[in-house]
Amino acid sequence: AQKVTQAQTEISVVEKEDVTLDCVYETRDTTYYLFWYKQPPSGELVFLIRRNSFDEQNEISGRYSWNFQKSTSSFNFTITASQVVDSAVYFCALSEAWGGQNFVFGPGTRLSVLP
Amino acid sequence: NAGVTQTPKFRVLKTGQSMTLLCAQDMNHEYMYWYRQDPGMGLRLIHYSVGEGTTAKGEVPDGYNVSRLKKQNFLLGLESAAPSQTSVYFCASSYSTSGVINTGELFFGEGSRLTVL
């Protein structure tokens, strides 16, 4: 069965610090997709990134970067030079491709960036 | 382009009352989902649909029913509301770029906050 673990329940950092949010997943499929979503205080869910299981290249988008390591079943998310606007709950999610219309979400990590 | 729209946004019910949440998407997506979000538990899948006329149970389906009579709409019903169903409900849709393989990210509605007294 699919499972996503986000061990960090809450993280607080001071503005401009770097922060890494951990995500560990479990799946028996060889083809799957991993996602990160952001939920700011306003409540909507914002898509950040999708990564398929065959693409282990790290990705960078501005201050955001993602490290995908199949060997450790991890898909960690780093924010560089954090800003107050980064304060949100961040969810990691997994979708198995074949017959897996079921997206499974982790419990989320609440990030507070203090000025 | 509206994306995914949920109605109503807020609702207060008494135990035993019934109600329906409506989700509409205008992106021609095949897949639609209903999730509930509770503190510390992330999003849990209630029911989902892989196409018009089809529905399937997710992780927490008890106490809910769904229907997908039209491709663009996915309805979530509570026949007899219970306080345990107090939650924020999110509808989402997604697409597939390759037939049965689900490759797309989820597009979410803004959420519906339901309180059952």
Side-chain angles (χ1 to χ4, degrees), chain B residues 60-83:
Chain B
V60 289
D62 293 342
Y64 304 95
N65 57 76
V66 289
S67 64
R68 182 103 181 266
L69 298 179
K70 294 182 179 180
K71 186 177 183 178
Q72 64 267 34
N73 295 337
F74 195 31
L75 278 64
L76 178 71
L78 286 72
E79 289 188 349
S80 180

Side-chain angles (χ1 to χ4, degrees), chain A residues 7-100:
Chain A
Q8 305 147 308
T9 305
E10 293 191 34
I11 301 176
S12 288
V13 298
V14 177
E15 205 170 17
K16 298 183 183 178
E17 285 185 358
D18 298 347
V19 58
T20 296
L21 309 182
D22 298 332
C23 173
V24 174
Y25 62 92
E26 295 177 25
T27 177
R28 287 181 230 167
D29 274 16
T30 56
T31 304
Y32 53 89
Y33 295 83
L34 295 164
F35 305 80
W36 275 95
Y37 283 83
K38 173 182 180 180
Q39 187 176 41
S42 52
E44 75 272 24
L45 286 148
V46 180
F47 166 74
L48 296 178
I49 188 171
R50 177 186 70 192
R51 173 66 75 218
N52 74 57
S53 54
F54 298 109
D55 183 0
E56 287 192 72
Q57 283 191 342
N58 292 332
E59 179 152 344
I60 299 174
S61 176
R63 295 184 298 105
Y64 295 171
S65 62
W66 291 268
N67 184 310
F68 176 28
Q69 292 195 339
K70 288 179 75 171
S71 60
T72 56
S73 297
S74 65
F75 186 44
N76 296 337
F77 173 30
T78 298
I79 303 174
T80 304
S82 59
Q83 300 176 0
V84 173
V85 293
D86 295 326
S87 296
V89 180
Y90 291 87
F91 293 99
C92 182
L94 165 71
S95 173
E96 292 172 344
W98 291 101

Side-chain angles (χ1 to χ4, degrees), chain A residues 31 33 35 37 39 43-45 47 50 91 95-108, chain B residues 31 33 35 37 40-43 45 48 50 90 94-95 100-110:
Chain A
T31 304
Y33 295 83
F35 305 80
Y37 283 83
Q39 187 176 41
E44 75 272 24
L45 286 148
F47 166 74
R50 177 186 70 192
F91 293 99
S95 173
E96 292 172 344
W98 291 101
Q101 290 80 16
N102 189 353
F103 280 76
V104 174
F105 284 80
Chain B
Y31 307 132
Y33 311 78
Y35 286 88
Q37 183 179 22
M41 303 191 74
L43 290 103
L45 183 65
Y48 65 96
V50 301
F90 284 95
S94 69
Y95 60 93
V100 298
I101 300 176
N102 185 11
T103 60
E105 69 268 24
L106 293 176
F107 293 79
F108 283 92
E110 294 181 337

